[in-house]
Amino acid sequence: FSPLKAMDKLLNDGCAYTGQKLERSASGVRPGKIASLEHIMPASWGGPDEDGNFLVTGQIANSRRGDLELIKYLKGMSV
C-alpha cells in the first residue's frame, strides 16, 4: 500500500514548498513534479514515520532540503 494513492487532493494542491501540481508516477513526468513524502522532522534525527510528520513535496525539493531543519530550509538558510 502506498499512502500517495489515497492523496489525490494533496497531489492536486501541489508541493508544500512550491505549490506545483504533483504526480504519483515517474513515468513520463518531469523530476520536479514527482510526488515525495517529506519528513517534517528528518528520519535521521529520529523523526517518526507517522502521518503527522509528513508533507507532500516534489522529489527535487525533498532532496534539496536533506536533513536541514525545516524552518531554516524555509528561510533559505544552508546551515
Short mmCIF file of all heavy atoms in Angstrom, two decimals:
data_model
loop_
_atom_site.label_atom_id
_atom_site.label_comp_id
_atom_site.label_asym_id
_atom_site.label_seq_id
_atom_site.Cartn_x
_atom_site.Cartn_y
_atom_site.Cartn_z
N PHE A 1 0.84 -1.19 0.00
CA PHE A 1 0.00 0.00 0.00
C PHE A 1 0.87 1.25 0.00
O PHE A 1 1.79 1.37 0.81
CB PHE A 1 -0.91 0.01 1.23
CG PHE A 1 -1.68 1.29 1.40
CD1 PHE A 1 -2.77 1.56 0.59
CD2 PHE A 1 -1.29 2.24 2.33
CE1 PHE A 1 -3.47 2.74 0.74
CE2 PHE A 1 -1.99 3.41 2.49
CZ PHE A 1 -3.09 3.66 1.69
N SER A 2 0.60 2.17 -0.90
CA SER A 2 1.31 3.44 -0.93
C SER A 2 0.37 4.53 -0.43
O SER A 2 -0.73 4.69 -0.95
CB SER A 2 1.74 3.77 -2.36
OG SER A 2 2.18 5.11 -2.43
N PRO A 3 0.79 5.29 0.59
CA PRO A 3 -0.09 6.36 1.10
C PRO A 3 -0.41 7.39 0.04
O PRO A 3 -1.44 8.05 0.10
CB PRO A 3 0.70 6.98 2.25
CG PRO A 3 2.05 6.42 2.20
CD PRO A 3 2.05 5.22 1.32
N LEU A 4 0.44 7.53 -0.99
CA LEU A 4 0.17 8.52 -2.04
C LEU A 4 -1.07 8.17 -2.87
O LEU A 4 -1.70 9.05 -3.43
CB LEU A 4 1.38 8.68 -2.96
CG LEU A 4 2.59 9.36 -2.33
CD1 LEU A 4 3.74 9.41 -3.32
CD2 LEU A 4 2.25 10.75 -1.86
N LYS A 5 -1.45 6.89 -2.92
CA LYS A 5 -2.63 6.51 -3.70
C LYS A 5 -3.91 7.09 -3.11
O LYS A 5 -4.90 7.22 -3.80
CB LYS A 5 -2.73 4.99 -3.81
CG LYS A 5 -1.67 4.40 -4.69
CD LYS A 5 -1.82 2.92 -4.85
CE LYS A 5 -0.73 2.40 -5.77
NZ LYS A 5 -0.79 0.96 -5.94
N ALA A 6 -3.88 7.44 -1.84
CA ALA A 6 -5.05 8.00 -1.17
C ALA A 6 -4.97 9.52 -1.06
O ALA A 6 -5.74 10.13 -0.34
CB ALA A 6 -5.18 7.38 0.22
N MET A 7 -4.07 10.14 -1.78
CA MET A 7 -3.82 11.57 -1.60
C MET A 7 -4.04 12.41 -2.86
O MET A 7 -3.33 13.37 -3.08
CB MET A 7 -2.39 11.78 -1.12
CG MET A 7 -2.10 11.19 0.22
SD MET A 7 -0.45 11.66 0.71
CE MET A 7 -0.50 11.27 2.42
N ASP A 8 -5.03 12.07 -3.67
CA ASP A 8 -5.26 12.82 -4.90
C ASP A 8 -5.44 14.31 -4.65
O ASP A 8 -4.91 15.14 -5.38
CB ASP A 8 -6.47 12.27 -5.67
CG ASP A 8 -6.16 10.95 -6.35
OD1 ASP A 8 -4.97 10.70 -6.63
OD2 ASP A 8 -7.10 10.18 -6.58
N LYS A 9 -6.20 14.70 -3.62
CA LYS A 9 -6.40 16.12 -3.35
C LYS A 9 -5.08 16.79 -3.00
O LYS A 9 -4.79 17.89 -3.49
CB LYS A 9 -7.40 16.33 -2.22
CG LYS A 9 -7.62 17.83 -1.96
CD LYS A 9 -8.61 18.10 -0.87
CE LYS A 9 -8.85 19.55 -0.59
NZ LYS A 9 -7.82 20.51 -0.85
N LEU A 10 -4.25 16.15 -2.18
CA LEU A 10 -2.96 16.73 -1.83
C LEU A 10 -2.07 16.88 -3.05
O LEU A 10 -1.36 17.87 -3.20
CB LEU A 10 -2.27 15.90 -0.75
CG LEU A 10 -2.91 15.95 0.63
CD1 LEU A 10 -2.22 14.97 1.56
CD2 LEU A 10 -2.86 17.34 1.20
N LEU A 11 -2.10 15.89 -3.94
CA LEU A 11 -1.29 15.97 -5.16
C LEU A 11 -1.75 17.14 -6.02
O LEU A 11 -0.94 17.86 -6.58
CB LEU A 11 -1.36 14.66 -5.94
CG LEU A 11 -0.73 13.45 -5.25
CD1 LEU A 11 -0.98 12.20 -6.07
CD2 LEU A 11 0.76 13.66 -5.02
N ASN A 12 -3.06 17.33 -6.10
CA ASN A 12 -3.59 18.46 -6.88
C ASN A 12 -3.29 19.79 -6.21
O ASN A 12 -3.12 20.81 -6.89
CB ASN A 12 -5.09 18.30 -7.11
CG ASN A 12 -5.40 17.24 -8.13
OD1 ASN A 12 -4.62 17.01 -9.05
ND2 ASN A 12 -6.52 16.57 -7.98
N ASP A 13 -3.25 19.82 -4.88
CA ASP A 13 -2.90 21.05 -4.16
C ASP A 13 -1.44 21.42 -4.40
O ASP A 13 -1.08 22.58 -4.33
CB ASP A 13 -3.14 20.91 -2.66
CG ASP A 13 -4.62 20.90 -2.30
OD1 ASP A 13 -5.44 21.27 -3.16
OD2 ASP A 13 -4.93 20.53 -1.16
N GLY A 14 -0.62 20.43 -4.67
CA GLY A 14 0.77 20.67 -5.06
C GLY A 14 1.78 20.51 -3.95
O GLY A 14 1.47 20.23 -2.80
N CYS A 15 3.03 20.74 -4.34
CA CYS A 15 4.18 20.64 -3.45
C CYS A 15 4.01 21.63 -2.30
O CYS A 15 3.66 22.79 -2.51
CB CYS A 15 5.45 20.94 -4.24
SG CYS A 15 6.95 21.05 -3.24
N ALA A 16 4.28 21.19 -1.08
CA ALA A 16 4.15 22.06 0.09
C ALA A 16 5.11 23.24 0.01
O ALA A 16 4.85 24.28 0.59
CB ALA A 16 4.43 21.25 1.36
N TYR A 17 6.20 23.11 -0.73
CA TYR A 17 7.17 24.20 -0.84
C TYR A 17 6.91 25.10 -2.05
O TYR A 17 7.06 26.31 -1.95
CB TYR A 17 8.60 23.63 -0.96
CG TYR A 17 9.03 22.81 0.23
CD1 TYR A 17 9.67 21.59 0.05
CD2 TYR A 17 8.82 23.24 1.53
CE1 TYR A 17 10.09 20.84 1.13
CE2 TYR A 17 9.23 22.48 2.62
CZ TYR A 17 9.85 21.28 2.41
OH TYR A 17 10.26 20.53 3.48
N THR A 18 6.56 24.51 -3.19
CA THR A 18 6.45 25.29 -4.43
C THR A 18 5.03 25.51 -4.92
O THR A 18 4.79 26.39 -5.73
CB THR A 18 7.23 24.61 -5.57
OG1 THR A 18 6.58 23.37 -5.90
CG2 THR A 18 8.68 24.35 -5.18
N GLY A 19 4.09 24.68 -4.46
CA GLY A 19 2.72 24.76 -4.93
C GLY A 19 2.49 24.09 -6.27
O GLY A 19 1.37 24.02 -6.76
N GLN A 20 3.54 23.57 -6.90
CA GLN A 20 3.43 22.93 -8.21
C GLN A 20 2.66 21.61 -8.09
O GLN A 20 2.91 20.81 -7.20
CB GLN A 20 4.82 22.67 -8.78
CG GLN A 20 4.80 22.09 -10.17
CD GLN A 20 6.20 21.94 -10.74
OE1 GLN A 20 7.15 21.67 -10.02
NE2 GLN A 20 6.32 22.11 -12.03
N LYS A 21 1.68 21.40 -9.01
CA LYS A 21 0.91 20.16 -9.03
C LYS A 21 1.86 18.98 -9.20
O LYS A 21 2.81 19.05 -9.96
CB LYS A 21 -0.11 20.18 -10.16
CG LYS A 21 -0.99 18.95 -10.17
CD LYS A 21 -2.02 18.98 -11.27
CE LYS A 21 -2.77 17.66 -11.24
NZ LYS A 21 -3.60 17.44 -12.38
N LEU A 22 1.57 17.90 -8.48
CA LEU A 22 2.45 16.73 -8.47
C LEU A 22 1.77 15.52 -9.09
O LEU A 22 0.55 15.47 -9.20
CB LEU A 22 2.86 16.41 -7.03
CG LEU A 22 3.60 17.52 -6.31
CD1 LEU A 22 3.71 17.20 -4.82
CD2 LEU A 22 4.97 17.73 -6.91
N GLU A 23 2.57 14.53 -9.44
CA GLU A 23 2.09 13.26 -10.00
C GLU A 23 2.61 12.12 -9.13
O GLU A 23 3.68 12.22 -8.54
CB GLU A 23 2.61 13.08 -11.43
CG GLU A 23 2.21 14.19 -12.39
CD GLU A 23 0.75 14.15 -12.76
OE1 GLU A 23 0.14 13.06 -12.70
OE2 GLU A 23 0.22 15.20 -13.13
N ARG A 24 1.87 11.01 -9.08
CA ARG A 24 2.29 9.84 -8.30
C ARG A 24 3.37 9.04 -8.98
O ARG A 24 4.19 8.43 -8.34
CB ARG A 24 1.11 8.90 -8.08
CG ARG A 24 0.18 9.35 -7.04
CD ARG A 24 -0.89 8.33 -6.88
NE ARG A 24 -2.10 8.93 -7.38
CZ ARG A 24 -3.23 8.33 -7.54
NH1 ARG A 24 -3.34 7.06 -7.26
NH2 ARG A 24 -4.28 8.96 -7.96
N SER A 25 3.33 8.99 -10.29
CA SER A 25 4.20 8.09 -11.04
C SER A 25 5.33 8.85 -11.73
O SER A 25 5.16 9.98 -12.16
CB SER A 25 3.36 7.37 -12.10
OG SER A 25 4.19 6.69 -13.01
N ALA A 26 6.48 8.18 -11.84
CA ALA A 26 7.62 8.78 -12.51
C ALA A 26 7.55 8.60 -14.03
O ALA A 26 8.33 9.18 -14.75
CB ALA A 26 8.90 8.16 -11.98
N SER A 27 6.62 7.83 -14.52
CA SER A 27 6.53 7.53 -15.94
C SER A 27 6.17 8.77 -16.75
O SER A 27 5.05 9.26 -16.69
CB SER A 27 5.50 6.42 -16.16
OG SER A 27 5.33 6.18 -17.54
N GLY A 28 7.12 9.29 -17.49
CA GLY A 28 6.89 10.44 -18.36
C GLY A 28 6.70 11.76 -17.63
O GLY A 28 6.25 12.73 -18.21
N VAL A 29 7.03 11.81 -16.36
CA VAL A 29 6.83 13.02 -15.56
C VAL A 29 8.19 13.66 -15.29
O VAL A 29 9.16 12.97 -14.99
CB VAL A 29 6.14 12.66 -14.22
CG1 VAL A 29 5.98 13.89 -13.35
CG2 VAL A 29 4.78 12.04 -14.48
N ARG A 30 8.25 14.99 -15.39
CA ARG A 30 9.49 15.69 -15.06
C ARG A 30 9.82 15.46 -13.58
O ARG A 30 8.93 15.44 -12.74
CB ARG A 30 9.36 17.18 -15.32
CG ARG A 30 9.23 17.51 -16.79
CD ARG A 30 9.15 18.98 -17.04
NE ARG A 30 8.08 19.57 -16.24
CZ ARG A 30 8.03 20.83 -15.85
NH1 ARG A 30 8.98 21.66 -16.18
NH2 ARG A 30 7.04 21.29 -15.14
N PRO A 31 11.11 15.31 -13.24
CA PRO A 31 11.50 15.00 -11.85
C PRO A 31 10.94 15.96 -10.81
O PRO A 31 10.59 15.54 -9.71
CB PRO A 31 13.03 15.07 -11.89
CG PRO A 31 13.38 14.79 -13.30
CD PRO A 31 12.25 15.35 -14.13
N GLY A 32 10.82 17.23 -11.12
CA GLY A 32 10.30 18.19 -10.15
C GLY A 32 8.83 18.03 -9.85
O GLY A 32 8.31 18.60 -8.90
N LYS A 33 8.12 17.23 -10.66
CA LYS A 33 6.69 17.03 -10.46
C LYS A 33 6.35 15.69 -9.84
O LYS A 33 5.20 15.37 -9.61
CB LYS A 33 5.97 17.17 -11.80
CG LYS A 33 6.07 18.59 -12.36
CD LYS A 33 5.23 18.73 -13.59
CE LYS A 33 3.79 18.80 -13.16
NZ LYS A 33 2.86 19.17 -14.20
N ILE A 34 7.35 14.86 -9.54
CA ILE A 34 7.11 13.55 -8.94
C ILE A 34 6.91 13.73 -7.43
O ILE A 34 7.73 14.34 -6.75
CB ILE A 34 8.29 12.59 -9.20
CG1 ILE A 34 8.48 12.39 -10.70
CG2 ILE A 34 8.04 11.25 -8.50
CD1 ILE A 34 9.76 11.67 -11.07
N ALA A 35 5.81 13.21 -6.92
CA ALA A 35 5.47 13.36 -5.51
C ALA A 35 6.41 12.57 -4.61
O ALA A 35 6.87 11.49 -4.96
CB ALA A 35 4.03 12.92 -5.26
N SER A 36 6.66 13.14 -3.45
CA SER A 36 7.52 12.52 -2.45
C SER A 36 6.97 12.88 -1.07
O SER A 36 6.42 13.97 -0.88
CB SER A 36 8.94 13.08 -2.61
OG SER A 36 9.81 12.56 -1.64
N LEU A 37 7.11 11.98 -0.13
CA LEU A 37 6.73 12.29 1.24
C LEU A 37 7.96 12.82 1.97
O LEU A 37 8.98 12.14 2.07
CB LEU A 37 6.19 11.06 1.97
CG LEU A 37 4.83 10.59 1.49
CD1 LEU A 37 4.44 9.30 2.20
CD2 LEU A 37 3.78 11.65 1.71
N GLU A 38 7.86 14.04 2.45
CA GLU A 38 8.95 14.73 3.14
C GLU A 38 8.72 14.64 4.64
O GLU A 38 7.63 14.96 5.12
CB GLU A 38 8.96 16.19 2.69
CG GLU A 38 9.78 17.13 3.51
CD GLU A 38 11.24 17.14 3.13
OE1 GLU A 38 11.90 16.12 3.41
OE2 GLU A 38 11.70 18.14 2.59
N HIS A 39 9.72 14.21 5.38
CA HIS A 39 9.64 14.20 6.84
C HIS A 39 9.77 15.64 7.36
O HIS A 39 10.72 16.34 6.99
CB HIS A 39 10.77 13.38 7.46
CG HIS A 39 10.59 11.91 7.35
ND1 HIS A 39 10.95 11.19 6.23
CD2 HIS A 39 10.09 11.01 8.23
CE1 HIS A 39 10.68 9.92 6.43
NE2 HIS A 39 10.16 9.77 7.63
N ILE A 40 8.86 16.10 8.19
CA ILE A 40 8.98 17.41 8.81
C ILE A 40 10.18 17.38 9.76
O ILE A 40 11.06 18.23 9.70
CB ILE A 40 7.68 17.79 9.55
CG1 ILE A 40 6.56 17.95 8.53
CG2 ILE A 40 7.88 19.07 10.36
CD1 ILE A 40 5.17 18.05 9.13
N MET A 41 10.21 16.39 10.65
CA MET A 41 11.38 16.13 11.47
C MET A 41 12.12 14.98 10.79
O MET A 41 11.59 13.88 10.68
CB MET A 41 11.01 15.73 12.90
CG MET A 41 12.19 15.41 13.76
SD MET A 41 11.64 14.88 15.39
CE MET A 41 13.11 15.19 16.31
N PRO A 42 13.31 15.24 10.23
CA PRO A 42 14.00 14.22 9.45
C PRO A 42 14.14 12.87 10.16
O PRO A 42 14.34 12.81 11.37
CB PRO A 42 15.38 14.84 9.22
CG PRO A 42 15.16 16.31 9.30
CD PRO A 42 14.10 16.48 10.36
N ALA A 43 14.02 11.81 9.37
CA ALA A 43 14.18 10.47 9.90
C ALA A 43 15.56 10.30 10.53
O ALA A 43 15.72 9.61 11.53
CB ALA A 43 13.96 9.43 8.80
N SER A 44 16.57 10.98 9.97
CA SER A 44 17.93 10.88 10.50
C SER A 44 18.04 11.49 11.90
O SER A 44 19.00 11.25 12.61
CB SER A 44 18.93 11.56 9.56
OG SER A 44 18.66 12.94 9.44
N TRP A 45 17.07 12.30 12.28
CA TRP A 45 17.02 12.88 13.64
C TRP A 45 16.10 12.08 14.54
O TRP A 45 15.78 12.49 15.65
CB TRP A 45 16.49 14.29 13.59
CG TRP A 45 17.33 15.30 12.90
CD1 TRP A 45 18.48 15.10 12.18
CD2 TRP A 45 17.07 16.69 12.84
NE1 TRP A 45 18.93 16.28 11.67
CE2 TRP A 45 18.09 17.28 12.07
CE3 TRP A 45 16.08 17.50 13.35
CZ2 TRP A 45 18.13 18.64 11.81
CZ3 TRP A 45 16.12 18.84 13.08
CH2 TRP A 45 17.15 19.40 12.33
N GLY A 46 15.58 10.97 14.04
CA GLY A 46 14.65 10.16 14.82
C GLY A 46 13.20 10.51 14.58
O GLY A 46 12.32 10.07 15.31
N GLY A 47 12.94 11.30 13.52
CA GLY A 47 11.56 11.67 13.18
C GLY A 47 10.74 10.44 12.86
O GLY A 47 11.20 9.53 12.16
N PRO A 48 9.50 10.38 13.36
CA PRO A 48 8.67 9.19 13.16
C PRO A 48 8.11 9.08 11.74
O PRO A 48 7.94 10.08 11.05
CB PRO A 48 7.53 9.40 14.16
CG PRO A 48 7.41 10.89 14.29
CD PRO A 48 8.82 11.42 14.15
N ASP A 49 7.83 7.86 11.34
CA ASP A 49 7.15 7.60 10.07
C ASP A 49 5.66 7.56 10.33
O ASP A 49 5.01 6.52 10.25
CB ASP A 49 7.63 6.27 9.46
CG ASP A 49 9.01 6.37 8.86
OD1 ASP A 49 9.40 7.47 8.44
OD2 ASP A 49 9.70 5.34 8.81
N GLU A 50 5.11 8.71 10.71
CA GLU A 50 3.69 8.85 11.02
C GLU A 50 3.11 9.99 10.18
O GLU A 50 3.82 10.93 9.82
CB GLU A 50 3.50 9.16 12.51
CG GLU A 50 3.98 8.05 13.42
CD GLU A 50 3.93 8.42 14.89
OE1 GLU A 50 3.60 9.58 15.22
OE2 GLU A 50 4.22 7.54 15.72
N ASP A 51 1.82 9.92 9.91
CA ASP A 51 1.16 10.92 9.06
C ASP A 51 1.45 12.35 9.49
O ASP A 51 1.65 13.22 8.65
CB ASP A 51 -0.35 10.70 9.03
CG ASP A 51 -0.76 9.44 8.29
OD1 ASP A 51 0.10 8.84 7.61
OD2 ASP A 51 -1.93 9.05 8.42
N GLY A 52 1.47 12.61 10.78
CA GLY A 52 1.67 13.97 11.28
C GLY A 52 3.08 14.51 11.06
O GLY A 52 3.33 15.69 11.29
N ASN A 53 4.00 13.67 10.59
CA ASN A 53 5.37 14.10 10.36
C ASN A 53 5.71 14.19 8.87
O ASN A 53 6.87 14.23 8.50
CB ASN A 53 6.35 13.16 11.07
CG ASN A 53 7.76 13.72 11.12
OD1 ASN A 53 7.96 14.91 11.34
ND2 ASN A 53 8.74 12.87 10.86
N PHE A 54 4.69 14.21 8.02
CA PHE A 54 4.93 14.23 6.58
C PHE A 54 4.32 15.46 5.91
O PHE A 54 3.27 15.95 6.32
CB PHE A 54 4.33 13.00 5.89
CG PHE A 54 5.06 11.72 6.17
CD1 PHE A 54 4.40 10.68 6.79
CD2 PHE A 54 6.37 11.54 5.79
CE1 PHE A 54 5.04 9.48 7.04
CE2 PHE A 54 7.03 10.35 6.03
CZ PHE A 54 6.36 9.32 6.66
N LEU A 55 5.01 15.92 4.87
CA LEU A 55 4.48 16.90 3.92
C LEU A 55 4.56 16.23 2.55
O LEU A 55 5.44 15.41 2.31
CB LEU A 55 5.35 18.16 3.87
CG LEU A 55 5.47 19.01 5.11
CD1 LEU A 55 6.52 20.09 4.88
CD2 LEU A 55 4.12 19.65 5.41
N VAL A 56 3.67 16.58 1.65
CA VAL A 56 3.77 16.11 0.27
C VAL A 56 4.55 17.18 -0.49
O VAL A 56 4.16 18.34 -0.52
CB VAL A 56 2.39 15.87 -0.36
CG1 VAL A 56 2.54 15.45 -1.82
CG2 VAL A 56 1.62 14.81 0.41
N THR A 57 5.68 16.77 -1.07
CA THR A 57 6.54 17.69 -1.81
C THR A 57 6.97 17.03 -3.12
O THR A 57 6.73 15.85 -3.34
CB THR A 57 7.81 18.03 -1.02
OG1 THR A 57 8.62 16.86 -0.89
CG2 THR A 57 7.49 18.59 0.34
N GLY A 58 7.61 17.79 -3.97
CA GLY A 58 8.25 17.22 -5.15
C GLY A 58 9.56 16.56 -4.74
O GLY A 58 10.18 16.97 -3.75
N GLN A 59 9.99 15.55 -5.48
CA GLN A 59 11.21 14.83 -5.13
C GLN A 59 12.43 15.75 -5.09
O GLN A 59 13.28 15.63 -4.21
CB GLN A 59 11.48 13.70 -6.13
CG GLN A 59 10.71 12.45 -5.85
CD GLN A 59 11.10 11.33 -6.79
OE1 GLN A 59 11.73 11.53 -7.81
NE2 GLN A 59 10.69 10.13 -6.44
N ILE A 60 12.52 16.69 -6.02
CA ILE A 60 13.68 17.58 -6.05
C ILE A 60 13.72 18.46 -4.81
O ILE A 60 14.76 18.61 -4.17
CB ILE A 60 13.71 18.42 -7.34
CG1 ILE A 60 14.01 17.51 -8.53
CG2 ILE A 60 14.73 19.53 -7.25
CD1 ILE A 60 13.95 18.18 -9.88
N ALA A 61 12.57 19.04 -4.43
CA ALA A 61 12.52 19.88 -3.24
C ALA A 61 12.87 19.07 -1.99
O ALA A 61 13.59 19.54 -1.12
CB ALA A 61 11.14 20.52 -3.09
N ASN A 62 12.38 17.84 -1.93
CA ASN A 62 12.67 16.97 -0.80
C ASN A 62 14.17 16.70 -0.72
O ASN A 62 14.79 16.80 0.34
CB ASN A 62 11.89 15.66 -0.95
CG ASN A 62 11.98 14.76 0.26
OD1 ASN A 62 12.87 14.87 1.09
ND2 ASN A 62 11.05 13.84 0.36
N SER A 63 14.78 16.41 -1.85
CA SER A 63 16.20 16.12 -1.89
C SER A 63 17.03 17.35 -1.53
O SER A 63 18.03 17.23 -0.81
CB SER A 63 16.57 15.63 -3.30
OG SER A 63 17.94 15.37 -3.38
N ARG A 64 16.64 18.52 -1.98
CA ARG A 64 17.38 19.75 -1.67
C ARG A 64 17.43 20.03 -0.17
O ARG A 64 18.42 20.51 0.36
CB ARG A 64 16.75 20.95 -2.37
CG ARG A 64 17.11 21.06 -3.80
CD ARG A 64 16.58 22.37 -4.37
NE ARG A 64 16.74 22.36 -5.80
CZ ARG A 64 15.84 22.76 -6.66
NH1 ARG A 64 14.69 23.24 -6.24
NH2 ARG A 64 16.07 22.71 -7.95
N ARG A 65 16.34 19.74 0.50
CA ARG A 65 16.30 20.02 1.94
C ARG A 65 17.24 19.10 2.71
O ARG A 65 17.87 19.52 3.68
CB ARG A 65 14.87 19.88 2.48
CG ARG A 65 14.86 20.12 3.98
CD ARG A 65 13.49 20.08 4.57
NE ARG A 65 13.61 19.98 6.02
CZ ARG A 65 12.79 19.32 6.78
NH1 ARG A 65 11.75 18.69 6.27
NH2 ARG A 65 12.96 19.27 8.08
N GLY A 66 17.33 17.84 2.30
CA GLY A 66 18.16 16.90 3.04
C GLY A 66 17.67 16.78 4.47
O GLY A 66 16.48 16.61 4.71
N ASP A 67 18.57 16.93 5.45
CA ASP A 67 18.16 16.86 6.86
C ASP A 67 18.25 18.22 7.53
O ASP A 67 18.33 18.32 8.75
CB ASP A 67 18.94 15.79 7.62
CG ASP A 67 20.41 16.11 7.78
OD1 ASP A 67 20.88 17.09 7.17
OD2 ASP A 67 21.09 15.39 8.52
N LEU A 68 18.19 19.28 6.73
CA LEU A 68 18.20 20.63 7.28
C LEU A 68 16.92 20.89 8.07
O LEU A 68 15.84 20.44 7.67
CB LEU A 68 18.31 21.65 6.13
CG LEU A 68 18.49 23.11 6.50
CD1 LEU A 68 19.82 23.31 7.20
CD2 LEU A 68 18.44 23.97 5.24
N GLU A 69 17.04 21.58 9.18
CA GLU A 69 15.88 21.93 9.99
C GLU A 69 14.86 22.65 9.10
O GLU A 69 15.21 23.53 8.32
CB GLU A 69 16.33 22.83 11.13
CG GLU A 69 15.26 23.17 12.11
CD GLU A 69 15.79 24.06 13.24
OE1 GLU A 69 17.02 24.10 13.46
OE2 GLU A 69 14.96 24.71 13.87
N LEU A 70 13.58 22.29 9.21
CA LEU A 70 12.54 22.82 8.33
C LEU A 70 12.51 24.34 8.31
O LEU A 70 12.48 24.96 7.24
CB LEU A 70 11.16 22.27 8.71
CG LEU A 70 9.98 22.78 7.89
CD1 LEU A 70 10.14 22.40 6.42
CD2 LEU A 70 8.67 22.26 8.43
N ILE A 71 12.53 24.99 9.45
CA ILE A 71 12.42 26.44 9.49
C ILE A 71 13.62 27.09 8.79
O ILE A 71 13.48 28.09 8.09
CB ILE A 71 12.22 26.98 10.93
CG1 ILE A 71 11.75 28.43 10.91
CG2 ILE A 71 13.47 26.84 11.76
CD1 ILE A 71 10.35 28.61 10.42
N LYS A 72 14.80 26.50 8.94
CA LYS A 72 15.99 27.03 8.25
C LYS A 72 15.86 26.85 6.74
O LYS A 72 16.23 27.73 5.97
CB LYS A 72 17.25 26.36 8.77
CG LYS A 72 17.62 26.80 10.16
CD LYS A 72 18.91 26.16 10.62
CE LYS A 72 19.26 26.66 12.02
NZ LYS A 72 20.52 26.07 12.49
N TYR A 73 15.33 25.72 6.32
CA TYR A 73 15.12 25.49 4.88
C TYR A 73 14.13 26.51 4.32
O TYR A 73 14.38 27.10 3.27
CB TYR A 73 14.62 24.06 4.64
CG TYR A 73 14.34 23.78 3.19
CD1 TYR A 73 15.38 23.55 2.31
CD2 TYR A 73 13.04 23.73 2.69
CE1 TYR A 73 15.15 23.29 0.96
CE2 TYR A 73 12.79 23.48 1.37
CZ TYR A 73 13.84 23.26 0.50
OH TYR A 73 13.60 23.01 -0.83
N LEU A 74 13.05 26.73 5.03
CA LEU A 74 12.03 27.68 4.56
C LEU A 74 12.56 29.11 4.51
O LEU A 74 12.14 29.91 3.68
CB LEU A 74 10.78 27.61 5.43
CG LEU A 74 10.01 26.29 5.37
CD1 LEU A 74 8.88 26.29 6.39
CD2 LEU A 74 9.49 26.03 3.97
N LYS A 75 13.51 29.42 5.39
CA LYS A 75 14.11 30.77 5.41
C LYS A 75 15.26 30.88 4.40
O LYS A 75 15.85 31.95 4.26
CB LYS A 75 14.63 31.10 6.81
CG LYS A 75 13.54 31.36 7.80
CD LYS A 75 14.14 31.70 9.15
CE LYS A 75 13.08 32.10 10.15
NZ LYS A 75 13.69 32.47 11.45
N GLY A 76 15.59 29.78 3.72
CA GLY A 76 16.66 29.82 2.72
C GLY A 76 18.06 29.71 3.29
O GLY A 76 19.02 30.08 2.64
N MET A 77 18.16 29.20 4.49
CA MET A 77 19.47 29.06 5.13
C MET A 77 20.08 27.71 4.78
O MET A 77 19.38 26.73 4.64
CB MET A 77 19.33 29.20 6.65
CG MET A 77 18.73 30.53 7.07
SD MET A 77 18.29 30.57 8.82
CE MET A 77 19.90 30.85 9.52
N SER A 78 21.39 27.67 4.67
CA SER A 78 22.05 26.41 4.31
C SER A 78 22.60 25.64 5.50
O SER A 78 22.95 24.50 5.38
CB SER A 78 23.18 26.68 3.31
OG SER A 78 24.12 27.54 3.87
N VAL A 79 22.72 26.27 6.64
CA VAL A 79 23.18 25.57 7.86
C VAL A 79 22.43 26.03 9.08
O VAL A 79 21.82 27.01 9.11
CB VAL A 79 24.69 25.76 8.14
CG1 VAL A 79 25.47 24.62 7.61
CG2 VAL A 79 25.21 27.07 7.66
#
